[in-house]
Amino acid sequence: MYAHSARSHIPQPPHSAGMPYKGLRAAIDPNQIPSPVDTIEADREKWEDQQYMTLPGKHPPLSTTDFVAIDQGNSSPKFVRMSTWNVPSTSRLASDCEIPIAAIIQPFADQDPREEPVPLVETGPSGPPRCGRCRGYMNPWCTWVAGGMKWRCNLCSHETEVASEYFCNLDANLLRLDHLQRPELNKGTVDFAVSEEYWAPHPPPSIQPLYYSMTPPQTSGLRKPQPMDYIFVFDVSQEAVRSGFLKAACAILLEALFGDGETIPSCFPPSSRVAILAFDRTLQFYNLSSEVVGQPPMLVVPDIDEVFLPSTAGLFVNPAESRDAIVDLLTTLPMRHDQTLETEAALGSALAASLAALLIIALQAGRGGQVVTFAATLPTIGVGALQPLVDESTLYGTEKEKTLFVPLEETWKDIGERCAAEGVGVSMFLGMGRPIDIGSIGIVSSLSGGELYFHPKFDAVKDTIVLSSQVKRLISRTTAYSCSMRIRSSNGLRVSNQFGNFYESPAADLEFGTMDADKTIAVSFEHTRTLDDRQYAFIQAALLYTTVTGERRVRIFNVALRVVTLAGNVFQYADMDATVSYMLREAISKLPTQRISQIHETLTEKCALVLYAYRKFCAASAAPTQLILPEAFRTLPLYVLGMMKTKPLKGRNVTADVRNYYAHKLMAMSARGIMFHLYPRMLAVHDLNDTIALPDANGNIDMPSLMRDSHLFMEGHGVYLIDNDEMMILWIGGSVSPQVLQDLLDIDDIMQVNPHILYLPPLQTRLSTQVRNILAHRFVQRGYIPKFMLARQNLDAAEIEFSDMLVEDQNNAAMSYLDYLCLVHKQIHTALTTGASIASGHGGFRSMPW
C-alpha cells in the first residue's frame, strides 16, 4: 500500500552515519525482503474477532496484537510468553535448534477489559496446598490419587496428602466434584491469599549500616503487611531550581495527590501515606501533621555522611487528612529555594534517609514503601559521593569501555540491595543539565525494582506534559511491594539464567522492593535429562507480594508445554517475540564484561546460527544459494539489527548516561514494548482513508495499517508519524499539500509550522480527529504520553532522531536491513558449502573480513 517506486521515494533524511556492506552483493528489490509489518497486520486481523484459548497446541497471538485470552489452565501469553511452545526432548536437540528455551514473565500485565480478572482464592490458616517435596503449588495440571486423599505434583511427581479441610471426593473422570468451583484447579493464573507464615521477614543487619537509629533494628520475626507508604524526595539544589525541574515536580505531585478539583481526579491510593523530603548539602524533613497550623515545620540534618532521622512526628501522613500542610509545602518549596546558591546535592544520603524513615516507622507499623526521587545534580557529597566523569569518548573501543556500565562507588549497589531486601522500591526522575552517572545511581532502581525517567537538559515548557504523565502512571498502575519470586520447572529442566531489574538473593530467589504492571523478567532453562515426549513439560512461577492496600498474596503462573523430538516441530511453534526479548536482555547484561563490538558479533552469530539450524535440519534439500527462513523467524535478522541500533548497544559515541538509562529500561520492558522499540510503528498520516480511526455504527474504531521503517517507502509530499513508545515524531515532507497541513495543524505553509509544538491542536477536521484518535488509543494501551517532536524535511534538528528510527536504513553505525540480510545469508551459505562453523572460536566467522 505504501511502497513506491525507486524514482518517487525521498532521499535518506539526515542521520547518524551507518556502515556500508563490504564487498559485492546482488541488487535486490526492497519490496521482496521479509517485512515485520505484514506479519503484525496479518496476526492482528486473525485475532480481531476471535478469542485465544490457552490450552497447549496452538500458536498464541503476537505480543503486538490486542487479543482476549480465555484461561483454560495455561497462563495467558500476556503473563508468560515462551520462546518455543514445543520444548525439545533432549539437550542435543535444543543445541541443534539454537533457540533458547526461555520464558518472558510479566506478573502484573494489564489485561483487556473483556478478560476475566485473575481470581483470588482464600485458603484459610492452612495456606495454599503445596507439594511436600519441591514446594510447588496446587495447579490444574496436578492429578488426584488414592480416591482424592493425595495429589500428585506435576513438577516432581511426588504424592502429597490432602489436608482434611481441603478433601473432596472424585468423579468417574478422577476429577474432584468441586473442580469447577475451585479456580486453582482450572485457571493457569491465580492469586492465593496467604497466612502469617508467608509474611516478609526482617532482613539480617548489615555490616556497614547506611543510617543510624536510636532504636535497634529488628532482625527476627515477620513484618505484618500494611498499606504501602510513599516518600517523595526533591533535589533543591541550584540546577533543579534554575531549570524549573523542582517547580514542575511539585506542581505535578500536587495534581497527582489531589487532582484539580474539576476534570482531573486524584490517582493516589487512598490507604497509603506520604512523606516529603528535600535535599541539597543538607537533608530537610517536614512535619506534615494536620495538627500543625501554618507552614509545616522543617527539620534540617546537616550531617550527610552519618545519616539519622531527627524525628518521626508528622513524617508520614494521609494526604486527605493533611491536605492543607502538603499543599502549603509543595506550593512554597520552589519559592523557598529560589535564590539558592547550593550547587551540590547529596542524593545518596537522601536515599539512605528515606530508607531510615520507612524502616524506623516500619518497626512500629511494618510497612514497606516506594521512594520517588526528583534529582538534577551529580551527587559529589554525602553517602556514595561520586567524582565528575572523565572524557568517556576516549574509552570506547578499549578494555576500559566496560567501566562505563558498572557503579564507580559500591555504596550505590549496597543501597539497592538493602532496598530490595527491605521491600522498598526506588524510582528516579532525572532532570539534569550535566552528566549524572546513571551507571552508578541507576543501579539502586535496577536492584530495587524501581524505574528511571530521563529528562536531560530539562525544559519546563517542553517536558512537563511527559513528566506529569509518567508520575501519574507510576502512582496509578498496579504496584506491589516486598516481592519475592521463584521459578520452578518439571523434572528434566532447570533454570539457567534470569535477567531483569531485581536483586538475586543467595537462595536464587528474585527479590523486588516493588513490582509493577510494566515490569518483566526473562528466565532461560536447560535440560538436566531427556524429557518424555508423551507427557507435557511444566513451568511454574510464584510471586509472593503485598498489595498497595496491605494484603499478602502469592500469584501463581502455570504453563504446560508439549515435548517434541523433531527440530521442525520446535521451529513450527517458536515465538520470535519472546526469543528477541531474551536475546536483547542477554546482550545488555554483557555490557559490564564485554566490548560493544564483541556483543554485536555475538548477536549476528546467534541470528545466523538459528537460521542455519533451520536450514540444516528442516530444509536440507534446497540449494545453498537460496535464502530460506523459518516462518516464525522470517524477520529475526531485522530485529537483531534493531538491537544493534538501540541506544545501549549502538556503535560510535552515545553518552554513558543515555546508554545506561536505555539499558535499564530495556531490561525490564515487556515483550510488546521491546518489539515496538526495536521496530517503531510508522504511519502514513496523509494516506488515511475516510473511515479509518473513526467510530462506526457500533462505536468500534479500526486502527490503520502500519508501514515499513525506511525512507524507500516515503514520499516528499507525505506526513509520517513514527513512535517507539519512548518518543513520537511527526515528519512533514517538503512538498506536503497545504490542505493536509490545514487539516492537521491549522496552517497552510510549511514555513509557518512551529517545530516546538507539544501536541497536535484539537481541530474539528476529519484528519485531525483520526490522528488524535490513534494517539488516544495508544495512550490507553501504554498508560503514559511519550515525548512528541515535529520535524520538517531538511529544516529541523529532530529529523536526525526521526531518521535514526528508520531501522531498515543504513544508520546508527550499522548496516541497512538489506545489507545485513545479505551478510547473514553469506555466513549461512559459506557454512553450508565449506562446512565452516558459524560459532566463534576455531574456524568461526569472527576472523572473516566482513
Side-chain angles (χ1 to χ4, degrees):
M1 180 177 174
Y2 298 112
H4 307 291
S5 69
R7 288 172 297 177
S8 66
H9 73 75
I10 62 167
Q12 187 172 359
H15 57 281
S16 60
M19 184 188 294
Y21 183 85
K22 294 173 183 174
L24 300 174
R25 67 164 177 81
I28 302 170
D29 181 358
N31 288 296
Q32 301 304 312
I33 56 179
S35 159
V37 172
D38 297 342
T39 310
I40 289 169
E41 293 299 331
D43 195 71
R44 189 181 73 166
E45 286 176 22
K46 176 183 176 183
W47 294 104
E48 211 163 28
D49 302 317
Q50 63 171 305
Q51 298 168 327
Y52 171 66
M53 305 294 180
T54 64
L55 279 178
K58 297 189 196 123
H59 272 291
L62 298 179
S63 64
T64 49
T65 299
D66 293 325
F67 63 93
V68 175
I70 304 295
D71 190 334
Q72 296 179 307
N74 256 8
S75 287
S76 162
K78 292 175 184 174
F79 295 120
V80 182
R81 182 172 285 273
M82 299 298 302
S83 58
T84 175
W85 301 90
N86 278 356
V87 178
S89 59
T90 63
S91 57
R92 172 67 185 269
L93 180 59
S95 64
D96 282 347
C97 293
E98 299 289 349
I99 302 171
I101 305 171
I104 308 299
I105 306 171
Q106 188 175 359
F108 295 116
D110 290 327
Q111 292 180 268
D112 191 287
R114 295 167 290 177
E115 289 179 341
E116 181 186 350
V118 175
L120 174 62
V121 179
E122 298 287 346
T123 56
S126 61
R130 301 184 66 179
C131 173
R133 181 194 291 165
C134 71
R135 304 299 291 155
Y137 289 83
M138 169 73 70
N139 64 79
W141 303 98
C142 297
T143 52
W144 302 94
V145 294
M149 300 289 288
K150 293 182 179 181
W151 60 278
R152 183 178 290 122
C153 175
N154 61 313
L155 300 174
C156 68
S157 300
H158 178 73
E159 293 181 3
T160 303
E161 294 269 352
V162 174
S164 57
E165 65 269 23
Y166 196 76
F167 174 77
C168 180
N169 287 310
L170 306 185
D171 64 13
N173 296 317
L174 298 183
L175 293 175
R176 287 169 58 116
L177 295 174
D178 64 353
H179 175 81
L180 295 176
Q181 283 75 51
R182 290 195 174 273
E184 70 270 28
L185 302 184
N186 51 69
K187 301 291 183 189
T189 306
V190 293
D191 272 329
F192 287 110
V194 292
S195 53
E196 187 173 334
E197 64 181 294
Y198 289 86
W199 290 358
H202 289 284
S206 54
I207 298 171
Q208 289 184 308
L210 293 167
Y211 57 87
Y212 294 87
S213 170
M214 297 300 289
T215 54
Q218 275 190 276
T219 56
S220 61
L222 301 170
R223 289 179 287 177
K224 184 179 179 182
Q226 295 283 345
M228 185 163 76
D229 283 338
Y230 285 80
I231 296 189
F232 293 96
V233 184
F234 293 95
D235 182 343
V236 292
S237 65
Q238 194 178 54
E239 174 67 31
V241 175
R242 181 195 58 76
S243 66
F245 186 56
L246 174 62
K247 186 175 181 181
C250 288
I252 288 164
L253 180 55
L254 261 180
E255 195 175 87
L257 290 175
F258 306 114
D260 67 353
E262 294 174 9
T263 57
I264 302 172
S266 164
C267 58
F268 196 73
S271 57
S272 294
R273 301 183 305 172
V274 64
I276 294 173
L277 190 154
F279 69 98
D280 45 25
R281 287 189 66 84
T282 61
L283 303 176
Q284 299 149 31
F285 298 83
Y286 296 91
N287 183 344
L288 300 172
S289 171
S290 55
E291 299 163 9
V292 174
V293 180
Q295 282 197 345
M298 177 171 73
L299 298 170
V300 178
V301 176
D303 192 345
I304 53 175
D305 292 312
E306 296 184 349
V307 176
F308 64 93
L309 202 61
S311 169
T312 58
L315 190 60
F316 284 95
V317 295
N318 184 293
E321 294 170 5
S322 299
R323 177 168 182 159
D324 292 344
I326 294 172
V327 170
D328 188 294
L329 174 59
L330 292 177
T331 307
T332 58
L333 193 61
M335 291 186 274
R336 287 187 195 182
H337 298 276
D338 199 28
Q339 302 300 319
T340 185
L341 299 175
E342 296 292 355
T343 57
E344 295 178 302
L347 174 61
S349 302
L351 293 178
S354 302
L355 197 54
L358 282 165
L359 300 188
I360 290 171
I361 298 288
L363 294 181
Q364 305 156 25
R367 298 187 175 215
Q370 173 137 264
V371 179
V372 182
T373 308
F374 297 88
T377 308
L378 178 73
T380 52
I381 53 172
V383 174
L386 298 166
Q387 297 304 312
L389 297 171
V390 297
D391 179 13
E392 60 193 53
S393 61
T394 59
L395 303 181
Y396 287 114
T398 70
E399 282 301 314
K400 289 187 177 179
E401 175 184 278
K402 296 176 269 192
T403 61
L404 296 171
F405 306 102
V406 293
L408 299 180
E409 172 60 58
E410 281 296 309
T411 308
W412 295 96
K413 192 175 178 185
D414 294 342
I415 295 173
E417 290 177 1
R418 192 72 187 168
C419 285
E422 298 282 8
V424 176
V426 180
S427 292
M428 299 187 195
F429 291 85
L430 305 173
M432 63 289 183
R434 293 190 292 273
I436 200 169
D437 193 4
I438 292 176
S440 295
I441 68 173
I443 197 167
V444 177
S445 292
S446 295
L447 288 172
S448 68
E451 191 155 351
L452 294 176
Y453 300 90
F454 192 55
H455 297 276
K457 295 185 169 57
F458 182 82
D459 182 328
V461 176
K462 287 194 313 186
D463 297 331
T464 299
I465 291 176
V466 178
L467 182 64
S468 173
S469 162
Q470 291 169 338
V471 171
K472 287 171 186 169
R473 173 67 179 167
L474 172 73
I475 293 173
S476 62
R477 67 190 174 189
T478 304
T479 306
Y481 73 94
S482 288
C483 307
S484 181
M485 191 174 204
R486 174 163 287 195
I487 319 293
R488 296 178 174 88
S489 55
S490 52
N491 288 335
L493 292 174
R494 71 178 174 202
V495 173
S496 57
N497 282 311
Q498 302 174 121
F499 299 116
N501 290 343
F502 52 77
Y503 167 59
E504 190 166 349
S505 71
D509 286 347
L510 310 184
E511 305 283 349
F512 305 82
T514 54
M515 163 67 85
D516 58 69
D518 298 327
K519 293 285 180 301
T520 308
I521 65 157
V523 184
S524 66
F525 300 89
E526 62 186 12
H527 286 77
T528 56
R529 61 179 176 81
T530 299
L531 302 175
D532 184 351
D533 63 327
R534 294 166 298 176
Q535 297 180 349
Y536 288 126
F538 299 98
I539 289 164
Q540 184 180 83
L543 177 71
L544 183 62
Y545 68 97
T546 308
T547 65
V548 169
T549 52
E551 295 162 2
R552 194 70 171 160
R553 296 176 181 173
V554 59
R555 180 168 286 196
I556 310 298
F557 306 92
N558 297 286
V559 180
L561 302 163
R562 293 194 306 186
V563 177
V564 295
T565 56
L566 297 175
N569 293 337
V570 178
F571 277 99
Q572 184 184 359
Y573 281 88
D575 189 301
M576 188 172 68
D577 297 16
T579 306
V580 165
S581 298
Y582 178 79
M583 287 173 69
L584 178 60
R585 283 179 169 83
E586 186 181 39
I588 290 173
S589 71
K590 290 177 180 171
L591 282 170
T593 56
Q594 290 186 11
R595 295 211 303 270
I596 292 171
S597 57
Q598 292 174 311
I599 295 172
H600 281 201
E601 288 171 353
T602 304
L603 280 171
T604 300
E605 202 172 84
K606 286 190 172 176
C607 174
L609 281 167
V610 170
L611 302 181
Y612 173 67
Y614 178 78
R615 187 60 199 267
K616 183 176 178 184
F617 296 107
C618 307
S621 58
T625 51
Q626 241 182 313
L627 177 61
I628 296 178
L629 301 168
E631 190 59 35
F633 293 121
R634 286 183 70 235
T635 52
L636 180 65
L638 178 54
Y639 283 102
V640 171
L641 180 65
M643 292 181 209
M644 297 183 202
K645 294 186 178 186
T646 56
K647 294 284 200 300
L649 296 174
K650 73 188 254 187
R652 304 214 170 93
N653 288 351
V654 176
T655 65
D657 275 357
V658 172
R659 287 189 192 275
N660 282 305
Y661 163 70
Y662 279 97
H664 167 92
K665 291 285 281 189
L666 291 166
M667 282 298 274
M669 199 178 273
S670 66
R672 182 193 188 106
I674 283 175
M675 300 310 276
F676 283 148
H677 189 84
L678 295 181
Y679 194 85
R681 291 176 282 185
M682 189 154 85
L683 199 62
V685 171
H686 64 286
D687 216 6
L688 297 177
N689 68 38
D690 291 353
T691 58
I692 207 78
L694 294 172
D696 61 16
N698 300 318
N700 297 321
I701 296 180
D702 276 340
M703 287 295 119
S705 299
L706 303 175
M707 63 175 287
R708 292 176 64 169
D709 293 350
S710 172
H711 74 281
L712 298 173
F713 303 95
M714 295 169 61
E715 295 175 305
H717 64 263
V719 177
Y720 300 92
L721 181 73
I722 196 165
D723 175 5
N724 69 354
D725 277 0
E726 185 79 13
M727 185 181 297
M728 190 183 289
I729 302 176
L730 186 73
W731 184 90
I732 302 174
S735 53
V736 64
S737 158
Q739 186 60 51
V740 171
L741 284 181
Q742 188 73 45
D743 289 350
L744 201 57
L745 301 170
D746 204 18
I747 291 169
D748 59 6
D749 183 0
I750 192 172
M751 300 309 291
Q752 293 176 352
V753 172
N754 176 11
H756 304 298
I757 62 170
L758 305 175
Y759 49 84
L760 293 176
L763 306 177
Q764 296 306 308
T765 62
R766 179 177 54 78
L767 183 61
S768 175
T769 305
Q770 287 175 304
V771 176
R772 284 184 290 111
N773 283 348
I774 292 165
L775 299 187
H777 173 71
R778 291 186 183 177
F779 171 74
V780 169
Q781 284 183 322
R782 58 188 160 214
Y784 62 92
I785 301 169
K787 190 174 288 188
F788 179 84
M789 298 167 79
L790 190 144
R792 297 167 295 174
Q793 188 176 11
N794 298 327
L795 288 174
D796 299 316
E799 192 176 16
I800 293 179
E801 198 69 49
F802 171 84
S803 188
D804 282 353
M805 287 163 74
L806 299 177
V807 183
E808 296 195 31
D809 291 343
Q810 183 179 301
N811 51 28
N812 291 301
M815 295 179 176
S816 69
Y817 174 34
L818 195 55
D819 289 344
Y820 187 70
L821 194 60
C822 291
L823 169 69
V824 171
H825 177 45
K826 192 172 184 181
Q827 291 195 5
I828 295 167
H829 176 258
T830 306
L832 287 169
T833 52
T834 67
S837 167
I838 291 178
S840 58
H842 182 70
F845 281 92
R846 295 237 168 149
S847 58
M848 295 290 186
W850 59 80

